[in-house]
C-alpha cells in the first residue's frame, strides 16, 4: 500500500513542479541576490535618467521577468543580450503601433502579443517577457514611440550590463559565448 502511494506521488509530482531541475541553495541565493542588486541598479539609474530628462515613465513593468532569465538562467538563449534588448524593444514598438491601428483592446492585445512573437522569431530574439511588453503598451495606451527606447530599451541594456557584471563576478559566464565559433 505504501509503495502504491509513493508511485502515485511520483507520477503526479510532474504537475507540482516535479519536472523542475534541482537547483543547489548556493545557486538560488546567487540568482536572487543578483536579481535584487541588478534590479536596484537598473531602477535607480533609470529613475535618475527619467528625472534628468523630465519623463515620468522610467520603468519597464516586465523587468522582473527579464531579470529572472538574466540572473537565474544566464546560459539560456532567451536571456542573451540580443534576445533581451531586441525582444523587449521590438515588442514595445509592436504594441505601440498596434494601439495606433486597433482601438478595440480585445483585438489589440492578442494581436500585439502575437505580432511581437512573430517579430522576435524573424529577428531571432525570442524573449518571453517581451510579449508582455507588447501587452503593457496596449493596456497602458502608450502612444509615444519614445517609450520603446526609454524606458524599454534603456532598461533592457542596463539589465544586461548588470547581469554581465554580476554573473562574471560570481563565476557564471554571461553572455553565453558557447554558440560562437573561435
Amino acid at each position: 500500500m505504501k509503495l502504491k502511494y509513493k508511485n502515485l506521488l511520483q507520477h503526479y509530482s510532474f504537475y507540482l513542479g516535479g519536472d523542475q531541475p534541482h537547483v543547489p541553495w548556493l545557486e538560488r541565493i546567487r540568482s536572487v541576490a543578483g536579481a535584487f542588486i541588478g534590479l536596484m541598479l537598473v531602477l535607480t539609474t533609470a529613475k535618475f535618467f527619467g528625472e534628468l530628462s523630465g519623463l515620468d515613465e522610467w520603468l519597464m513593468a516586465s523587468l522582473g521577468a527579464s531579470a529572472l532569465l538574466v540572473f537565474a538562467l544566464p546560459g539560456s538563449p532567451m536571456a542573451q543580450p540580443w534576445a533581451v534588448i531586441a525582444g523587449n524593444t521590438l515588442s514595445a514598438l509592436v504594441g505601440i503601433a498596434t494601439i495606433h491601428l486597433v482601438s478595440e483592446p480585445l483585438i489589440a492585445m492578442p494581436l500585439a502579443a502575437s505580432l511581437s512573437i512573430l517579430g522576435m522569431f524573424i529577428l531571432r530574439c525570442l524573449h518571453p517577457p517581451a510579449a508582455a511588453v507588447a501587452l503593457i503598451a496596449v493596456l497602458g495606451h502608450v502612444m509615444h514611440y519614445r517609450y520603446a527606447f526609454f524606458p524599454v530599451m534603456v532598461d533592457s541594456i542596463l539589465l544586461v550590463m548588470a547581469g554581465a557584471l554580476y554573473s562574471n563576478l560570481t563565476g557564471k559566464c554571461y553572455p553565453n559565448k558557447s554558440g560562437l565559433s573561435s
Side-chain angles (χ1 to χ4, degrees), residues 14-32:
F14 170 83
Y15 299 104
L16 300 172
D19 62 334
Q20 296 291 307
H22 172 73
V23 178
W25 273 101
L26 188 59
E27 179 59 20
R28 293 176 191 189
I29 292 167
R30 189 201 71 76
S31 298
V32 169

Side-chain angles (χ1 to χ4, degrees), residues 23-169:
V23 178
W25 273 101
L26 188 59
E27 179 59 20
R28 293 176 191 189
I29 292 167
R30 189 201 71 76
S31 298
V32 169
F36 178 79
I37 293 166
L39 286 169
M40 283 297 296
L41 287 170
V42 170
L43 296 175
T44 303
T45 306
K47 185 167 178 25
F48 172 76
F49 286 157
E51 289 172 356
L52 193 65
S53 60
L55 298 172
D56 291 333
E57 303 151 334
W58 53 269
L59 171 65
M60 176 180 69
S62 64
L63 201 58
S66 291
L68 181 143
L69 288 169
V70 170
F71 290 97
L73 300 168
S76 168
M78 296 178 187
Q80 299 312 301
W82 174 249
V84 176
I85 298 165
N88 283 331
T89 305
L90 168 74
S91 295
L93 290 168
V94 168
I96 296 164
T98 302
I99 198 67
H100 278 285
L101 299 171
V102 180
S103 60
E104 173 54 50
L106 290 176
I107 297 171
M109 287 188 295
L111 184 62
S114 59
L115 289 176
S116 74
I117 293 167
L118 175 62
M120 287 187 281
F121 268 123
I122 292 168
L123 294 180
R124 299 181 60 154
C125 59
L126 283 173
H127 183 65
V133 174
L135 287 175
I136 290 163
V138 172
L139 283 170
H141 298 283
V142 176
M143 302 301 282
H144 300 285
Y145 287 96
R146 173 203 46 81
Y147 177 81
F149 303 102
F150 183 78
V152 173
M153 186 175 75
V154 170
D155 285 0
S156 298
I157 291 169
L158 291 170
L159 184 70
V160 164
M161 290 171 58
L165 182 65
Y166 182 80
S167 290
N168 287 292
L169 286 174

